[in-house]
Amino acid sequence: MICLIIFLIPVIVFTQADIFGYYESEYDHIQLTDKSYNFGYNKLRIDLESRPSDQVMIAGNINFQLPYGKTEWDFFDFIPMDTVEFDGEEITSFPKSFINEVYLDNIYLRTSFSKFDLTIGRQPLSLGTGYAWNPLDIFNYKDLMDPTYEQPGVNALRIEIPVATNSVLDIILEPDSIWNMSSKMIQLKSHLGSFDFSLNGGSQYHVIPDGNSHYISDHVILGGGSFVGEFWEFGLWGETFWSLDADINFGEVVFGMDHTFNNGLYLMTEYFHNSLGAEKNEVTFDHYLYSFSGETHSLMQNYIFAMGMYNITDYISANLISIGNLDDESFILAPQLNWDAFEDVTVGVWAGQSFGENETEFDIQDLAIRFRIRAYF
Amino acid sequence: MKILRIAKRLRHLVCLLNIGSIGLIAANMSAKSILDSMTMVMQPISSQGKMEQEIITSSDIKRVFTFNYFSEEKGKNVLIRYIEPRKVRHNAFLIKNNGEDIWVYFPRTRRVRKLASHAKKQKAQGSDFSYEDFSGSEEWKTDYRVKQILSSEHENYLLTLTPKIDSETSYDSLKIYVNKLNYYPSRMLYYQDSIHLKTLHFQDVQDIQGIPTAMSMRMENHAEDSQTTMRILEMEYNVVFDEGFFTERNLKK
């Protein structure tokens, strides 16, 4: 990585690339049932962007992330199990370490031809109309407490072809070691009245239910779509992506609505169903493992996300977020204060209090507090 | 005889009413033509420029945004691309159909999100301008009834705009002072729930390509005691945009 940076510096200087980015520091405190931890990170993201001509853009970013506080985690702290059988062995811990990292998150080239745009390289991809969940986004996994945080780059080839008026055909390929394991997505996006909609098809090497409350991975063909628009002053959106194979029927669906009152109060809610999630009282270690790794988009099947936001002053907004698991009836209430302290500095203080019966998804965590400052340059 | 007198009086009354009606129609016609002239002058067919937006809040905090502005079809379609501050650099808005359709682009996630049209009433980047304030003024002619009333200012006409029945508007009424010489507005007063909410002042009117242009527009928000000044740094009119310029594809470029 150091060699890469040494190589990049003269390139940046000679190409007169635009340099910008941010510094971010985060402190977290988490209170579990019988223990508490402090942790956080300092992060520097340097974005580089060069436009050698009107048709070509080369962009990338280098990230330096230094975790502090607790950096060795045990997965068992976050699941209501002491011992499980994993790969034929009884295990009582499942450690994960966070270390200092320097990484190129994105590095891609976007070029515009008269008939299409081509983006190649490790690039940000963001699909779907949902806020907290995106069934169509087979390339990413969102953090429910912070759904708008930037996603890691995806190594992909993307071709966007305008077709007819106001329609775009979008083809994305994320290559893997063999063609069958590569993720593919084709999307036709268009407008109808005040609604935008998309029709999607894709294939992916995806986890599928094995019929015994466990998962296996197999090649799956998926179909779905999305819409976003307005009906009677309410914003409405939805999206779904479902397996087209009758034998392995699974998929996800999300519906959301929002409204902004004249006084600026913004209310939003979203319902999510994931048939790959566990049913009530049938949660296994596999469900936790695949949910935490992001391979399934939720632990159980039915969730609700609600948010209210109000600008207390011109530069301080108060949010109240609620995330509920409708299957085990546990939920989190998360008040947040976000302050645009200066033109290029934002400060956020967030808290999260969990509610629910013992051994439910959100009951594991009791209280969480997060402080984040970000300064752009 | 009495019946005859009543008939004469009625005829006289009818004549008066007719004259009044004709006068009223004439005033309305005049008001419409003033509004037509004003929208024609202040909303060129297409434009592109660079603007600076200075927001001063009620607590006297100052923020400055710089953005590129592109518009076509007399402001029906508008594209705004932020340059400064760094926090919103490359954020972009596509506002089409006079604010009915708004898309916002976030470059860090390369995500385009469609906003519901109720968002058009909200403050754009915390300023005292709403998203729809960036759009054209053509809908004033379709959504509002316009009347000319007596202006206390010799150099200005005064128009009042009230919403037509069944039209969906953000304001209860508008008062517009229009310069008699060049038909450029001097100021606009916005009313909501019968409260004088905002006043937009057009200042430093200069001639660019034969089109009078307010180089500075100051929006005072009386309810929040804040103000936003929009200054034109560069402006060019009658721009021919490529087909597909005001599309989601171009928003992401």
Side-chain angles (χ1 to χ4, degrees), chain A residues 18 110 117 126 130 160 189 196 230 233 314-315 340 343-344, chain B residues 63-64 86-87 89 103 108 110-111 114 117-118 123 248-249 252:
Chain A
D18 195 5
R110 182 183 166 87
D117 296 329
S126 187
E160 292 160 277
K189 206 173 170 187
D196 285 4
E230 187 186 42
E233 293 236 327
D314 286 308
Y315 298 111
D340 285 344
E343 253 172 22
D344 285 312
Chain B
R63 298 282 161 88
V64 180
R86 293 280 172 161
K87 191 179 76 173
R89 185 182 177 78
W103 292 267
R108 289 192 191 282
R110 290 190 65 77
R111 185 178 180 85
K114 189 176 196 293
S117 69
H118 53 81
K123 293 174 158 202
E248 205 179 307
R249 182 190 181 199
K252 294 200 276 187

PDB file of all heavy atoms in Angstrom, chain A residues 18 110 117 126 130 160 189 196 230 233 314-315 340 343-344, chain B residues 63-64 86-87 89 103 108 110-111 114 117-118 123 248-249 252:
ATOM      1  N   ASP A  18      -8.118  16.836  -8.717  1.00  0.00           N
ATOM      2  CA  ASP A  18      -8.834  17.559  -7.677  1.00  0.00           C
ATOM      3  C   ASP A  18      -8.752  16.716  -6.394  1.00  0.00           C
ATOM      4  O   ASP A  18      -9.047  15.514  -6.421  1.00  0.00           O
ATOM      5  CB  ASP A  18     -10.285  17.706  -8.143  1.00  0.00           C
ATOM      6  CG  ASP A  18     -11.024  18.734  -7.347  1.00  0.00           C
ATOM      7  OD1 ASP A  18     -10.391  19.389  -6.504  1.00  0.00           O
ATOM      8  OD2 ASP A  18     -12.243  18.877  -7.565  1.00  0.00           O
ATOM      9  N   ARG A 110     -14.733   6.565 -15.407  1.00  0.00           N
ATOM     10  CA  ARG A 110     -16.059   6.703 -16.020  1.00  0.00           C
ATOM     11  C   ARG A 110     -15.890   7.454 -17.330  1.00  0.00           C
ATOM     12  O   ARG A 110     -15.287   8.529 -17.368  1.00  0.00           O
ATOM     13  CB  ARG A 110     -16.991   7.473 -15.090  1.00  0.00           C
ATOM     14  CG  ARG A 110     -18.396   7.628 -15.619  1.00  0.00           C
ATOM     15  CD  ARG A 110     -19.225   8.459 -14.658  1.00  0.00           C
ATOM     16  NE  ARG A 110     -20.464   8.900 -15.246  1.00  0.00           N
ATOM     17  CZ  ARG A 110     -21.597   8.202 -15.253  1.00  0.00           C
ATOM     18  NH1 ARG A 110     -21.629   7.033 -14.652  1.00  0.00           N
ATOM     19  NH2 ARG A 110     -22.692   8.655 -15.824  1.00  0.00           N
ATOM     20  N   ASP A 117     -22.746   5.338 -21.158  1.00  0.00           N
ATOM     21  CA  ASP A 117     -21.691   5.655 -20.189  1.00  0.00           C
ATOM     22  C   ASP A 117     -21.113   4.340 -19.685  1.00  0.00           C
ATOM     23  O   ASP A 117     -21.854   3.389 -19.405  1.00  0.00           O
ATOM     24  CB  ASP A 117     -22.255   6.423 -18.983  1.00  0.00           C
ATOM     25  CG  ASP A 117     -22.815   7.774 -19.390  1.00  0.00           C
ATOM     26  OD1 ASP A 117     -22.294   8.353 -20.351  1.00  0.00           O
ATOM     27  OD2 ASP A 117     -23.776   8.229 -18.748  1.00  0.00           O
ATOM     28  N   SER A 126     -25.114   1.964  -5.823  1.00  0.00           N
ATOM     29  CA  SER A 126     -26.236   2.163  -4.913  1.00  0.00           C
ATOM     30  C   SER A 126     -27.514   1.988  -5.700  1.00  0.00           C
ATOM     31  O   SER A 126     -27.812   2.781  -6.578  1.00  0.00           O
ATOM     32  CB  SER A 126     -26.136   3.571  -4.323  1.00  0.00           C
ATOM     33  OG  SER A 126     -27.096   3.749  -3.338  1.00  0.00           O
ATOM     34  N   GLY A 130     -35.349   2.272  -1.573  1.00  0.00           N
ATOM     35  CA  GLY A 130     -35.548   2.207  -0.121  1.00  0.00           C
ATOM     36  C   GLY A 130     -34.525   3.037   0.632  1.00  0.00           C
ATOM     37  O   GLY A 130     -33.453   3.363   0.105  1.00  0.00           O
ATOM     38  N   GLU A 160     -24.351   2.194 -18.696  1.00  0.00           N
ATOM     39  CA  GLU A 160     -25.660   2.847 -18.628  1.00  0.00           C
ATOM     40  C   GLU A 160     -26.007   3.367 -20.018  1.00  0.00           C
ATOM     41  O   GLU A 160     -25.303   4.208 -20.562  1.00  0.00           O
ATOM     42  CB  GLU A 160     -25.623   3.986 -17.621  1.00  0.00           C
ATOM     43  CG  GLU A 160     -25.461   3.482 -16.177  1.00  0.00           C
ATOM     44  CD  GLU A 160     -24.954   4.554 -15.230  1.00  0.00           C
ATOM     45  OE1 GLU A 160     -23.727   4.762 -15.173  1.00  0.00           O
ATOM     46  OE2 GLU A 160     -25.779   5.170 -14.543  1.00  0.00           O
ATOM     47  N   LYS A 189     -34.735   1.582 -16.136  1.00  0.00           N
ATOM     48  CA  LYS A 189     -35.295   2.614 -15.266  1.00  0.00           C
ATOM     49  C   LYS A 189     -36.016   3.636 -16.113  1.00  0.00           C
ATOM     50  O   LYS A 189     -35.487   4.082 -17.137  1.00  0.00           O
ATOM     51  CB  LYS A 189     -34.143   3.268 -14.501  1.00  0.00           C
ATOM     52  CG  LYS A 189     -34.549   3.873 -13.193  1.00  0.00           C
ATOM     53  CD  LYS A 189     -33.333   4.329 -12.428  1.00  0.00           C
ATOM     54  CE  LYS A 189     -33.776   5.147 -11.227  1.00  0.00           C
ATOM     55  NZ  LYS A 189     -32.656   5.752 -10.546  1.00  0.00           N
ATOM     56  N   ASP A 196     -41.109   7.318 -10.746  1.00  0.00           N
ATOM     57  CA  ASP A 196     -39.972   6.645 -11.376  1.00  0.00           C
ATOM     58  C   ASP A 196     -40.135   5.154 -11.080  1.00  0.00           C
ATOM     59  O   ASP A 196     -40.584   4.801  -9.976  1.00  0.00           O
ATOM     60  CB  ASP A 196     -38.642   7.087 -10.745  1.00  0.00           C
ATOM     61  CG  ASP A 196     -38.234   8.472 -11.191  1.00  0.00           C
ATOM     62  OD1 ASP A 196     -39.007   9.119 -11.912  1.00  0.00           O
ATOM     63  OD2 ASP A 196     -37.131   8.904 -10.800  1.00  0.00           O
ATOM     64  N   GLU A 230     -45.228   9.969  -5.728  1.00  0.00           N
ATOM     65  CA  GLU A 230     -46.001  10.691  -4.724  1.00  0.00           C
ATOM     66  C   GLU A 230     -47.480  10.454  -4.942  1.00  0.00           C
ATOM     67  O   GLU A 230     -47.964  10.406  -6.067  1.00  0.00           O
ATOM     68  CB  GLU A 230     -45.700  12.185  -4.836  1.00  0.00           C
ATOM     69  CG  GLU A 230     -46.348  12.976  -3.720  1.00  0.00           C
ATOM     70  CD  GLU A 230     -46.160  14.466  -3.914  1.00  0.00           C
ATOM     71  OE1 GLU A 230     -46.300  14.936  -5.052  1.00  0.00           O
ATOM     72  OE2 GLU A 230     -45.871  15.148  -2.933  1.00  0.00           O
ATOM     73  N   GLU A 233     -49.693  14.061  -1.575  1.00  0.00           N
ATOM     74  CA  GLU A 233     -48.694  14.714  -0.716  1.00  0.00           C
ATOM     75  C   GLU A 233     -47.850  13.754   0.119  1.00  0.00           C
ATOM     76  O   GLU A 233     -47.126  14.177   1.013  1.00  0.00           O
ATOM     77  CB  GLU A 233     -49.348  15.745   0.215  1.00  0.00           C
ATOM     78  CG  GLU A 233     -49.918  16.941  -0.534  1.00  0.00           C
ATOM     79  CD  GLU A 233     -49.371  18.270  -0.050  1.00  0.00           C
ATOM     80  OE1 GLU A 233     -49.082  18.370   1.156  1.00  0.00           O
ATOM     81  OE2 GLU A 233     -49.225  19.177  -0.877  1.00  0.00           O
ATOM     82  N   ASP A 314     -31.421  26.428  12.302  1.00  0.00           N
ATOM     83  CA  ASP A 314     -31.024  26.274  10.900  1.00  0.00           C
ATOM     84  C   ASP A 314     -29.960  25.208  10.731  1.00  0.00           C
ATOM     85  O   ASP A 314     -29.836  24.600   9.678  1.00  0.00           O
ATOM     86  CB  ASP A 314     -30.507  27.601  10.357  1.00  0.00           C
ATOM     87  CG  ASP A 314     -31.650  28.566  10.126  1.00  0.00           C
ATOM     88  OD1 ASP A 314     -32.605  28.180   9.454  1.00  0.00           O
ATOM     89  OD2 ASP A 314     -31.593  29.687  10.656  1.00  0.00           O
ATOM     90  N   TYR A 315     -29.159  24.989  11.760  1.00  0.00           N
ATOM     91  CA  TYR A 315     -28.035  24.065  11.602  1.00  0.00           C
ATOM     92  C   TYR A 315     -28.025  22.910  12.593  1.00  0.00           C
ATOM     93  O   TYR A 315     -27.058  22.168  12.666  1.00  0.00           O
ATOM     94  CB  TYR A 315     -26.712  24.856  11.665  1.00  0.00           C
ATOM     95  CG  TYR A 315     -26.631  25.845  10.541  1.00  0.00           C
ATOM     96  CD1 TYR A 315     -26.688  27.213  10.789  1.00  0.00           C
ATOM     97  CD2 TYR A 315     -26.578  25.407   9.223  1.00  0.00           C
ATOM     98  CE1 TYR A 315     -26.664  28.121   9.733  1.00  0.00           C
ATOM     99  CE2 TYR A 315     -26.565  26.306   8.172  1.00  0.00           C
ATOM    100  CZ  TYR A 315     -26.603  27.659   8.430  1.00  0.00           C
ATOM    101  OH  TYR A 315     -26.598  28.540   7.382  1.00  0.00           O
ATOM    102  N   ASP A 340     -24.544  21.095  12.093  1.00  0.00           N
ATOM    103  CA  ASP A 340     -23.591  21.615  11.098  1.00  0.00           C
ATOM    104  C   ASP A 340     -22.822  22.743  11.772  1.00  0.00           C
ATOM    105  O   ASP A 340     -23.197  23.918  11.658  1.00  0.00           O
ATOM    106  CB  ASP A 340     -24.332  22.154   9.869  1.00  0.00           C
ATOM    107  CG  ASP A 340     -24.850  21.042   9.000  1.00  0.00           C
ATOM    108  OD1 ASP A 340     -24.399  19.905   9.165  1.00  0.00           O
ATOM    109  OD2 ASP A 340     -25.721  21.305   8.155  1.00  0.00           O
ATOM    110  N   GLU A 343     -19.187  25.535   8.226  1.00  0.00           N
ATOM    111  CA  GLU A 343     -19.542  25.231   6.843  1.00  0.00           C
ATOM    112  C   GLU A 343     -19.125  23.819   6.452  1.00  0.00           C
ATOM    113  O   GLU A 343     -19.822  23.133   5.733  1.00  0.00           O
ATOM    114  CB  GLU A 343     -18.873  26.239   5.906  1.00  0.00           C
ATOM    115  CG  GLU A 343     -19.863  27.212   5.337  1.00  0.00           C
ATOM    116  CD  GLU A 343     -19.236  28.337   4.568  1.00  0.00           C
ATOM    117  OE1 GLU A 343     -18.101  28.197   4.099  1.00  0.00           O
ATOM    118  OE2 GLU A 343     -19.892  29.370   4.440  1.00  0.00           O
ATOM    119  N   ASP A 344     -17.966  23.367   6.931  1.00  0.00           N
ATOM    120  CA  ASP A 344     -17.454  22.068   6.522  1.00  0.00           C
ATOM    121  C   ASP A 344     -17.250  21.103   7.683  1.00  0.00           C
ATOM    122  O   ASP A 344     -16.471  20.167   7.559  1.00  0.00           O
ATOM    123  CB  ASP A 344     -16.135  22.257   5.748  1.00  0.00           C
ATOM    124  CG  ASP A 344     -16.385  22.777   4.352  1.00  0.00           C
ATOM    125  OD1 ASP A 344     -17.254  22.208   3.676  1.00  0.00           O
ATOM    126  OD2 ASP A 344     -15.736  23.755   3.954  1.00  0.00           O
TER     127      ASP A 344
ATOM    128  N   ARG B  63     -23.256  31.531   6.146  1.00  0.00           N
ATOM    129  CA  ARG B  63     -22.792  30.392   5.344  1.00  0.00           C
ATOM    130  C   ARG B  63     -22.842  30.798   3.873  1.00  0.00           C
ATOM    131  O   ARG B  63     -23.790  31.466   3.466  1.00  0.00           O
ATOM    132  CB  ARG B  63     -23.693  29.167   5.533  1.00  0.00           C
ATOM    133  CG  ARG B  63     -23.724  28.633   6.955  1.00  0.00           C
ATOM    134  CD  ARG B  63     -22.472  27.833   7.250  1.00  0.00           C
ATOM    135  NE  ARG B  63     -22.245  27.691   8.674  1.00  0.00           N
ATOM    136  CZ  ARG B  63     -22.729  26.728   9.430  1.00  0.00           C
ATOM    137  NH1 ARG B  63     -23.467  25.807   8.905  1.00  0.00           N
ATOM    138  NH2 ARG B  63     -22.471  26.675  10.717  1.00  0.00           N
ATOM    139  N   VAL B  64     -21.830  30.364   3.134  1.00  0.00           N
ATOM    140  CA  VAL B  64     -21.795  30.721   1.710  1.00  0.00           C
ATOM    141  C   VAL B  64     -21.720  29.450   0.867  1.00  0.00           C
ATOM    142  O   VAL B  64     -20.893  28.567   1.116  1.00  0.00           O
ATOM    143  CB  VAL B  64     -20.586  31.637   1.391  1.00  0.00           C
ATOM    144  CG1 VAL B  64     -20.566  31.996  -0.088  1.00  0.00           C
ATOM    145  CG2 VAL B  64     -20.643  32.909   2.242  1.00  0.00           C
ATOM    146  N   ARG B  86     -17.084  22.412   0.702  1.00  0.00           N
ATOM    147  CA  ARG B  86     -16.608  21.062   0.385  1.00  0.00           C
ATOM    148  C   ARG B  86     -17.615  19.988   0.780  1.00  0.00           C
ATOM    149  O   ARG B  86     -17.689  18.934   0.176  1.00  0.00           O
ATOM    150  CB  ARG B  86     -15.278  20.809   1.096  1.00  0.00           C
ATOM    151  CG  ARG B  86     -14.156  21.669   0.554  1.00  0.00           C
ATOM    152  CD  ARG B  86     -13.628  21.070  -0.729  1.00  0.00           C
ATOM    153  NE  ARG B  86     -12.695  21.936  -1.400  1.00  0.00           N
ATOM    154  CZ  ARG B  86     -11.825  21.516  -2.313  1.00  0.00           C
ATOM    155  NH1 ARG B  86     -11.779  20.261  -2.661  1.00  0.00           N
ATOM    156  NH2 ARG B  86     -11.023  22.359  -2.894  1.00  0.00           N
ATOM    157  N   LYS B  87     -18.359  20.275   1.830  1.00  0.00           N
ATOM    158  CA  LYS B  87     -19.303  19.280   2.354  1.00  0.00           C
ATOM    159  C   LYS B  87     -20.345  18.887   1.299  1.00  0.00           C
ATOM    160  O   LYS B  87     -20.799  17.749   1.263  1.00  0.00           O
ATOM    161  CB  LYS B  87     -20.007  19.856   3.586  1.00  0.00           C
ATOM    162  CG  LYS B  87     -20.808  18.860   4.366  1.00  0.00           C
ATOM    163  CD  LYS B  87     -21.453  19.491   5.568  1.00  0.00           C
ATOM    164  CE  LYS B  87     -22.639  20.301   5.160  1.00  0.00           C
ATOM    165  NZ  LYS B  87     -23.409  20.817   6.286  1.00  0.00           N
ATOM    166  N   ARG B  89     -19.923  19.546  -2.040  1.00  0.00           N
ATOM    167  CA  ARG B  89     -19.290  19.599  -3.362  1.00  0.00           C
ATOM    168  C   ARG B  89     -19.825  18.471  -4.261  1.00  0.00           C
ATOM    169  O   ARG B  89     -19.896  17.317  -3.854  1.00  0.00           O
ATOM    170  CB  ARG B  89     -17.784  19.431  -3.172  1.00  0.00           C
ATOM    171  CG  ARG B  89     -16.951  19.574  -4.409  1.00  0.00           C
ATOM    172  CD  ARG B  89     -15.502  19.311  -4.013  1.00  0.00           C
ATOM    173  NE  ARG B  89     -14.621  19.346  -5.132  1.00  0.00           N
ATOM    174  CZ  ARG B  89     -14.190  20.458  -5.714  1.00  0.00           C
ATOM    175  NH1 ARG B  89     -14.550  21.620  -5.245  1.00  0.00           N
ATOM    176  NH2 ARG B  89     -13.382  20.413  -6.746  1.00  0.00           N
ATOM    177  N   TRP B 103     -34.973  15.574  -8.248  1.00  0.00           N
ATOM    178  CA  TRP B 103     -34.035  14.495  -7.980  1.00  0.00           C
ATOM    179  C   TRP B 103     -32.795  15.103  -7.336  1.00  0.00           C
ATOM    180  O   TRP B 103     -32.352  16.184  -7.744  1.00  0.00           O
ATOM    181  CB  TRP B 103     -33.611  13.777  -9.256  1.00  0.00           C
ATOM    182  CG  TRP B 103     -34.695  12.983  -9.919  1.00  0.00           C
ATOM    183  CD1 TRP B 103     -34.972  11.661  -9.748  1.00  0.00           C
ATOM    184  CD2 TRP B 103     -35.638  13.451 -10.905  1.00  0.00           C
ATOM    185  NE1 TRP B 103     -36.025  11.276 -10.554  1.00  0.00           N
ATOM    186  CE2 TRP B 103     -36.464  12.362 -11.266  1.00  0.00           C
ATOM    187  CE3 TRP B 103     -35.888  14.688 -11.496  1.00  0.00           C
ATOM    188  CZ2 TRP B 103     -37.489  12.459 -12.197  1.00  0.00           C
ATOM    189  CZ3 TRP B 103     -36.914  14.801 -12.416  1.00  0.00           C
ATOM    190  CH2 TRP B 103     -37.701  13.696 -12.756  1.00  0.00           C
ATOM    191  N   ARG B 108     -20.909  10.944  -3.154  1.00  0.00           N
ATOM    192  CA  ARG B 108     -20.129   9.947  -2.396  1.00  0.00           C
ATOM    193  C   ARG B 108     -20.703   8.549  -2.550  1.00  0.00           C
ATOM    194  O   ARG B 108     -19.987   7.563  -2.527  1.00  0.00           O
ATOM    195  CB  ARG B 108     -20.051  10.321  -0.925  1.00  0.00           C
ATOM    196  CG  ARG B 108     -19.170  11.508  -0.703  1.00  0.00           C
ATOM    197  CD  ARG B 108     -18.846  11.733   0.752  1.00  0.00           C
ATOM    198  NE  ARG B 108     -18.228  13.028   0.888  1.00  0.00           N
ATOM    199  CZ  ARG B 108     -16.966  13.290   0.590  1.00  0.00           C
ATOM    200  NH1 ARG B 108     -16.176  12.327   0.149  1.00  0.00           N
ATOM    201  NH2 ARG B 108     -16.487  14.500   0.729  1.00  0.00           N
ATOM    202  N   ARG B 110     -22.887   8.001  -5.110  1.00  0.00           N
ATOM    203  CA  ARG B 110     -23.352   8.026  -6.498  1.00  0.00           C
ATOM    204  C   ARG B 110     -24.826   7.625  -6.563  1.00  0.00           C
ATOM    205  O   ARG B 110     -25.264   6.903  -7.463  1.00  0.00           O
ATOM    206  CB  ARG B 110     -22.513   7.120  -7.407  1.00  0.00           C
ATOM    207  CG  ARG B 110     -21.109   7.654  -7.627  1.00  0.00           C
ATOM    208  CD  ARG B 110     -20.347   6.919  -8.707  1.00  0.00           C
ATOM    209  NE  ARG B 110     -20.930   7.092 -10.026  1.00  0.00           N
ATOM    210  CZ  ARG B 110     -20.809   8.193 -10.778  1.00  0.00           C
ATOM    211  NH1 ARG B 110     -20.145   9.229 -10.329  1.00  0.00           N
ATOM    212  NH2 ARG B 110     -21.366   8.256 -11.965  1.00  0.00           N
ATOM    213  N   ARG B 111     -25.571   8.111  -5.617  1.00  0.00           N
ATOM    214  CA  ARG B 111     -26.978   7.746  -5.505  1.00  0.00           C
ATOM    215  C   ARG B 111     -27.864   8.911  -5.948  1.00  0.00           C
ATOM    216  O   ARG B 111     -27.621  10.054  -5.571  1.00  0.00           O
ATOM    217  CB  ARG B 111     -27.296   7.383  -4.053  1.00  0.00           C
ATOM    218  CG  ARG B 111     -28.692   6.863  -3.824  1.00  0.00           C
ATOM    219  CD  ARG B 111     -28.857   6.499  -2.347  1.00  0.00           C
ATOM    220  NE  ARG B 111     -30.186   5.986  -2.079  1.00  0.00           N
ATOM    221  CZ  ARG B 111     -30.559   4.732  -2.247  1.00  0.00           C
ATOM    222  NH1 ARG B 111     -29.676   3.864  -2.685  1.00  0.00           N
ATOM    223  NH2 ARG B 111     -31.772   4.336  -1.981  1.00  0.00           N
ATOM    224  N   LYS B 114     -35.174  10.428  -5.701  1.00  0.00           N
ATOM    225  CA  LYS B 114     -36.281  11.305  -6.109  1.00  0.00           C
ATOM    226  C   LYS B 114     -36.989  11.808  -4.858  1.00  0.00           C
ATOM    227  O   LYS B 114     -37.331  11.016  -3.976  1.00  0.00           O
ATOM    228  CB  LYS B 114     -37.261  10.535  -6.994  1.00  0.00           C
ATOM    229  CG  LYS B 114     -38.308  11.423  -7.641  1.00  0.00           C
ATOM    230  CD  LYS B 114     -39.181  10.613  -8.592  1.00  0.00           C
ATOM    231  CE  LYS B 114     -39.963  11.506  -9.537  1.00  0.00           C
ATOM    232  NZ  LYS B 114     -40.973  12.317  -8.888  1.00  0.00           N
ATOM    233  N   SER B 117     -42.874  15.654  -4.132  1.00  0.00           N
ATOM    234  CA  SER B 117     -42.994  17.070  -4.485  1.00  0.00           C
ATOM    235  C   SER B 117     -43.313  17.950  -3.282  1.00  0.00           C
ATOM    236  O   SER B 117     -43.147  19.160  -3.350  1.00  0.00           O
ATOM    237  CB  SER B 117     -44.023  17.255  -5.589  1.00  0.00           C
ATOM    238  OG  SER B 117     -45.299  16.997  -5.103  1.00  0.00           O
ATOM    239  N   HIS B 118     -43.754  17.343  -2.143  1.00  0.00           N
ATOM    240  CA  HIS B 118     -43.972  18.199  -0.962  1.00  0.00           C
ATOM    241  C   HIS B 118     -42.647  18.780  -0.473  1.00  0.00           C
ATOM    242  O   HIS B 118     -42.620  19.785   0.236  1.00  0.00           O
ATOM    243  CB  HIS B 118     -44.693  17.460   0.167  1.00  0.00           C
ATOM    244  CG  HIS B 118     -44.050  16.181   0.574  1.00  0.00           C
ATOM    245  ND1 HIS B 118     -42.971  16.135   1.412  1.00  0.00           N
ATOM    246  CD2 HIS B 118     -44.319  14.899   0.250  1.00  0.00           C
ATOM    247  CE1 HIS B 118     -42.618  14.880   1.594  1.00  0.00           C
ATOM    248  NE2 HIS B 118     -43.404  14.104   0.894  1.00  0.00           N
ATOM    249  N   LYS B 123     -36.664  24.282   2.506  1.00  0.00           N
ATOM    250  CA  LYS B 123     -35.505  25.137   2.269  1.00  0.00           C
ATOM    251  C   LYS B 123     -34.440  24.364   1.477  1.00  0.00           C
ATOM    252  O   LYS B 123     -34.125  23.232   1.834  1.00  0.00           O
ATOM    253  CB  LYS B 123     -34.893  25.545   3.604  1.00  0.00           C
ATOM    254  CG  LYS B 123     -35.781  26.450   4.430  1.00  0.00           C
ATOM    255  CD  LYS B 123     -35.150  26.677   5.780  1.00  0.00           C
ATOM    256  CE  LYS B 123     -35.691  27.941   6.407  1.00  0.00           C
ATOM    257  NZ  LYS B 123     -34.795  28.471   7.426  1.00  0.00           N
ATOM    258  N   GLU B 248     -31.395  12.490 -15.543  1.00  0.00           N
ATOM    259  CA  GLU B 248     -30.707  11.826 -14.432  1.00  0.00           C
ATOM    260  C   GLU B 248     -29.293  11.406 -14.844  1.00  0.00           C
ATOM    261  O   GLU B 248     -28.378  11.411 -14.032  1.00  0.00           O
ATOM    262  CB  GLU B 248     -31.532  10.609 -14.028  1.00  0.00           C
ATOM    263  CG  GLU B 248     -31.320  10.182 -12.607  1.00  0.00           C
ATOM    264  CD  GLU B 248     -32.190   8.994 -12.261  1.00  0.00           C
ATOM    265  OE1 GLU B 248     -33.410   9.059 -12.482  1.00  0.00           O
ATOM    266  OE2 GLU B 248     -31.626   7.995 -11.764  1.00  0.00           O
ATOM    267  N   ARG B 249     -29.137  11.067 -16.117  1.00  0.00           N
ATOM    268  CA  ARG B 249     -27.823  10.638 -16.601  1.00  0.00           C
ATOM    269  C   ARG B 249     -26.807  11.762 -16.421  1.00  0.00           C
ATOM    270  O   ARG B 249     -25.712  11.562 -15.923  1.00  0.00           O
ATOM    271  CB  ARG B 249     -27.936  10.252 -18.086  1.00  0.00           C
ATOM    272  CG  ARG B 249     -26.655   9.749 -18.679  1.00  0.00           C
ATOM    273  CD  ARG B 249     -26.755   9.620 -20.182  1.00  0.00           C
ATOM    274  NE  ARG B 249     -25.519   9.098 -20.757  1.00  0.00           N
ATOM    275  CZ  ARG B 249     -25.188   9.217 -22.022  1.00  0.00           C
ATOM    276  NH1 ARG B 249     -25.993   9.812 -22.868  1.00  0.00           N
ATOM    277  NH2 ARG B 249     -24.052   8.720 -22.465  1.00  0.00           N
ATOM    278  N   LYS B 252     -25.520  12.808 -12.811  1.00  0.00           N
ATOM    279  CA  LYS B 252     -24.443  12.029 -12.191  1.00  0.00           C
ATOM    280  C   LYS B 252     -23.065  12.352 -12.754  1.00  0.00           C
ATOM    281  O   LYS B 252     -22.073  11.832 -12.275  1.00  0.00           O
ATOM    282  CB  LYS B 252     -24.714  10.533 -12.374  1.00  0.00           C
ATOM    283  CG  LYS B 252     -25.950  10.062 -11.633  1.00  0.00           C
ATOM    284  CD  LYS B 252     -25.956   8.578 -11.419  1.00  0.00           C
ATOM    285  CE  LYS B 252     -26.474   7.818 -12.590  1.00  0.00           C
ATOM    286  NZ  LYS B 252     -26.639   6.391 -12.333  1.00  0.00           N
TER     287      LYS B 252
END
